[in-house]
Amino acid sequence: NPAFVSTSESDLSLQSKIEMLLDDLKWDDKGLVVATAQNVDTGTILMQGFANKEAIVRTATQRKATFYSRSRSQLWTKGETSNNFINIHDIFFDCDRDSIIYLGKPDGPACHTGSATCFHTSLDDLIDDPKNVKHRLASSTLYSLENTISQRKAELAVPQTGKPSWTKRLLLDNKLLCSKIREEADELCRTSEEGEDKSRTASEMADLVYHAMVFLAVQGVKLEDVFEHLRERFAQSGIEEKKNRARKVDQSAITKD
Amino acid sequence: NPAFVSTSESDLSLQSKIEMLLDDLKWDDKGLVVATAQNVDTGTILMQGFANKEAIVRTATQRKATFYSRSRSQLWTKGETSNNFINIHDIFFDCDRDSIIYLGKPDGPACHTGSATCFHTSLDDLIDDPKNVKHRLASSTLYSLENTISQRKAELAVPQTGKPSWTKRLLLDNKLLCSKIREEADELCRTSEEGEDKSRTASEMADLVYHAMVFLAVQGVKLEDVFEHLRERFAQSGIEEKKNRARKVDQSAITKD
Ligand SMILES: [Zn+2]
Ligand SMILES: [Zn+2]
Ligand SMILES: [Zn+2]
Ligand SMILES: [Zn+2]
Ligand SMILES: [Zn+2]
Ligand SMILES: [Zn+2]
Ligand SMILES: [Zn+2]
Ligand SMILES: [Zn+2]
Ligand SMILES: [Zn+2]
């Protein structure tokens, strides 16, 4: 374990502090807890593994998601072979302290298949037609919609027959799309100016989000990039950033000493 | 197991079909896989448990997240005592088939503490100050920002000293807020009209999302409600809804027979 051979005194004290805190976790009979890596900007679950105490200490200090491989009986840092590290922003554990979340930003696809997430097979799809199951990512509403819109965009590459869907019309007509975005922003504002109820506000916000997402698809911009912008600007009072800087100092001290 | 006592023939065939498909999963030495429940609209990880084959069959047919309790050696459906069921929209498993995601809509808080998620303790917070750790939910960028904005709104209840932050000024001045939302929608559109690059588009979209989120906070509307509206409208070609209907028929057949 060369990274810890020549740690400075303050690093050692950080490490033993974390170890002490981790004593409270409910380790299973093999000394493990379930460890789930989640994309900090999209909430997508990237992969699930297990972690022992050493794996969590390393993840907390070096800020790359690290697991314990039960088959190889050793620590492994996601990305050590693929270079697709998961850069840690926060670590959470659950109320009965036997499960942790590594909330982080992946450098690339989490799955060896090239998928963003290892969770890309739907049991419901299998039940419907076991012989014709496509890769489909486990993603929440916004990213399912983003995926649907980009499918519609891809379909435009081949000649269209019949009346195009509303999404396709918007994808093809930037003037129409922009007039809709301005209109929906106005309609959202008018829900308060005209004293409409919450459900109307939610519905107008949904209109605005959808049309703006079609715009992003036209421009080739991913929602994840937008939310990364937001995170960088609004990191909770800068606390998270401060912590990451502090940890990076620790880490470079480890490397240099 | 009364629910399965008097199943009809078609239910039995669905059940055995699912059982056959689940034969391919990589069950551990106790016949379990890790099962993680995730909010379909927000991506928030709600809780993590384990599932045996019977738990997954029941989840897939009855559409309520069901686990296997290792301590009580029995199936349990989340919500059977609290009434906070997790209504299943999709079930995914990972590339090596030893972990599943229950993607669903919770009827209420997932945690017995009343938290939306069981993951509400940050290891980084503990490291910083173990004696002063607050409940903080594991959430992705958008929901962290939503939480920050609603904190700013709550702070307005007590008398303010000094210059208010931009968020607070917007929260207090609906005319300013609405003029900003209309302006940011316009700026977003102009990134294409004036041929700006992707990074500019992402940045303007971030501006629009932030200001619209402040508006939602003023109106008391949650992002989750907005995304629920979106999901209802854009369910992938209605496939998901069709499936849910089909399963509900199965279930009512089970109950009535
Ligand atoms: Zn737990
Ligand atoms: Zn994988
Ligand atoms: Zn309209
Ligand atoms: Zn509208
Ligand atoms: Zn796995
Ligand atoms: Zn809990
Ligand atoms: Zn502006
Ligand atoms: Zn702007
Ligand atoms: Zn609705």
Side-chain angles (χ1 to χ4, degrees):
Chain A
N1 191 344
F4 286 128
V5 168
S6 52
T7 45
S8 72
E9 234 168 76
S10 76
D11 296 324
L12 274 178
S13 78
L14 174 66
Q15 197 183 322
S16 53
K17 189 177 174 183
I18 298 174
E19 277 173 5
M20 226 176 58
L21 290 167
L22 294 179
D23 279 342
D24 286 344
L25 261 59
K26 217 169 80 193
W27 307 97
D28 73 7
D29 48 6
K30 295 170 187 114
L32 303 173
V33 294
V34 169
T36 305
Q38 188 181 23
N39 184 313
V40 63
D41 285 325
T42 65
T44 299
I45 297 177
L46 301 169
M47 54 173 293
Q48 180 263 311
F50 294 86
N52 61 6
K53 199 188 279 187
E54 199 186 347
I56 302 179
V57 169
R58 198 186 278 197
T59 303
T61 54
Q62 307 203 7
R63 314 305 286 179
K64 310 270 181 204
T66 300
F67 301 86
Y68 180 82
S69 163
R70 294 178 303 172
S71 55
R72 289 176 287 133
S73 302
Q74 63 180 39
L75 290 199
W76 66 281
T77 297
K78 168 75 192 164
E80 64 190 11
T81 55
S82 67
N83 255 334
N84 291 332
F85 294 97
I86 298 173
N87 304 286
I88 296 299
H89 288 263
D90 225 327
I91 299 171
F92 286 88
F93 43 84
D94 70 345
C95 53
D96 64 348
R97 296 172 173 242
D98 62 357
S99 188
I100 62 166
I101 295 176
Y102 289 154
L103 202 58
K105 188 77 184 177
D107 283 330
C111 188
H112 68 282
T113 61
S115 266
T117 160
C118 285
F119 293 86
H120 50 68
T121 310
S122 156
L123 179 62
D124 288 343
D125 290 355
L126 268 174
I127 294 170
D128 281 351
D129 187 359
K131 278 171 194 116
N132 190 23
V133 171
K134 279 174 278 182
H135 239 59
R136 186 158 68 84
L137 306 187
S139 42
S140 57
T141 295
L142 220 42
Y143 307 94
S144 297
L145 177 57
E146 182 176 53
N147 186 48
T148 302
I149 294 171
S150 73
Q151 274 174 29
R152 297 294 161 271
K153 188 183 168 186
E155 287 160 14
L156 291 174
V158 297
Q160 302 292 298
T161 55
K163 205 170 159 250
S165 68
W166 178 240
T167 301
K168 283 182 181 164
R169 280 188 58 199
L170 293 169
L171 285 165
L172 289 165
D173 185 345
N174 205 57
K175 215 173 144 185
L176 172 66
L177 178 54
C178 284
S179 82
K180 283 303 297 179
I181 290 171
R182 289 181 173 102
E183 177 192 308
E184 296 303 338
D186 182 64
E187 286 174 4
L188 177 65
C189 292
R190 278 167 43 202
T191 63
S192 77
E193 292 159 355
E194 297 168 7
E196 309 250 30
D197 66 9
K198 288 184 187 192
S199 145
R200 186 90 217 127
T201 301
S203 170
E204 289 302 341
M205 178 69 173
D207 286 348
L208 178 59
V209 167
Y210 159 71
H211 287 92
M213 283 176 69
V214 176
F215 184 86
L216 293 185
V218 172
Q219 304 298 316
V221 172
K222 302 293 270 178
L223 272 180
E224 179 169 1
D225 297 335
V226 174
F227 297 155
E228 192 177 321
H229 268 269
L230 273 178
R231 175 167 47 81
E232 283 162 2
R233 274 191 247 166
F234 297 96
Q236 287 203 323
S237 328
I239 293 167
E240 187 193 286
E241 263 52 32
K242 228 168 51 198
K243 255 185 296 189
N244 284 342
R245 272 201 305 278
R247 298 279 153 65
K248 287 231 176 81
V249 170
D250 294 333
Q251 201 185 333
S252 65
I254 290 169
T255 316
K256 273 186 282 170
D257 277 1
Chain B
N1 192 345
F4 285 129
V5 168
S6 52
T7 44
S8 71
E9 233 168 76
S10 76
D11 297 324
L12 273 177
S13 78
L14 173 67
Q15 197 184 322
S16 54
K17 189 177 175 184
I18 298 175
E19 276 174 6
M20 227 176 58
L21 290 167
L22 294 179
D23 279 342
D24 285 344
L25 261 58
K26 218 169 81 194
W27 305 97
D28 74 5
D29 48 7
K30 294 170 189 114
L32 303 174
V33 295
V34 169
T36 304
Q38 188 181 23
N39 184 313
V40 63
D41 286 323
T42 65
T44 299
I45 297 178
L46 301 170
M47 54 172 293
Q48 179 262 310
F50 294 86
N52 61 5
K53 198 189 280 187
E54 199 187 347
I56 302 179
V57 170
R58 198 185 280 196
T59 302
T61 53
Q62 307 203 4
R63 313 306 283 180
K64 311 270 181 205
T66 300
F67 301 88
Y68 179 82
S69 164
R70 295 179 302 173
S71 55
R72 290 177 286 133
S73 303
Q74 63 180 41
L75 291 199
W76 66 282
T77 297
K78 168 76 191 163
E80 61 190 10
T81 55
S82 67
N83 255 333
N84 292 331
F85 293 97
I86 298 173
N87 304 287
I88 296 299
H89 288 263
D90 224 330
I91 299 171
F92 286 89
F93 43 83
D94 70 344
C95 54
D96 64 349
R97 296 173 174 239
D98 62 356
S99 188
I100 63 166
I101 295 176
Y102 288 154
L103 202 59
K105 188 77 184 177
D107 284 327
C111 188
H112 67 283
T113 62
S115 266
T117 160
C118 285
F119 293 87
H120 50 67
T121 311
S122 156
L123 179 62
D124 289 343
D125 290 354
L126 268 175
I127 294 170
D128 281 351
D129 186 356
K131 278 171 195 116
N132 191 22
V133 170
K134 277 173 281 182
H135 238 59
R136 185 157 69 81
L137 306 188
S139 43
S140 58
T141 295
L142 220 43
Y143 307 94
S144 297
L145 177 56
E146 182 176 52
N147 187 45
T148 302
I149 294 170
S150 71
Q151 274 174 29
R152 297 293 161 272
K153 188 183 169 188
E155 287 160 14
L156 290 175
V158 297
Q160 302 291 298
T161 56
K163 205 171 158 251
S165 68
W166 180 239
T167 301
K168 283 182 181 165
R169 280 188 57 200
L170 293 169
L171 285 165
L172 288 166
D173 184 345
N174 205 55
K175 214 173 144 184
L176 172 66
L177 178 54
C178 283
S179 82
K180 284 301 297 180
I181 290 171
R182 290 181 172 103
E183 177 192 308
E184 296 303 337
D186 182 64
E187 286 174 5
L188 177 66
C189 292
R190 279 167 43 201
T191 63
S192 79
E193 291 159 356
E194 296 167 8
E196 309 250 30
D197 65 10
K198 287 183 187 193
S199 144
R200 186 91 217 126
T201 301
S203 169
E204 290 301 342
M205 179 67 174
D207 287 348
L208 178 58
V209 167
Y210 159 70
H211 287 91
M213 282 175 70
V214 176
F215 183 85
L216 292 185
V218 172
Q219 304 298 317
V221 172
K222 302 294 272 178
L223 272 180
E224 179 169 0
D225 297 334
V226 174
F227 298 155
E228 191 177 321
H229 268 271
L230 273 178
R231 176 167 48 80
E232 283 163 2
R233 274 191 249 166
F234 297 97
Q236 287 202 322
S237 328
I239 293 167
E240 188 193 286
E241 262 54 32
K242 226 169 52 199
K243 254 185 294 191
N244 284 342
R245 270 199 307 278
R247 297 280 152 65
K248 287 230 177 79
V249 171
D250 293 332
Q251 201 185 332
S252 65
I254 290 169
T255 315
K256 271 185 285 172
D257 277 2

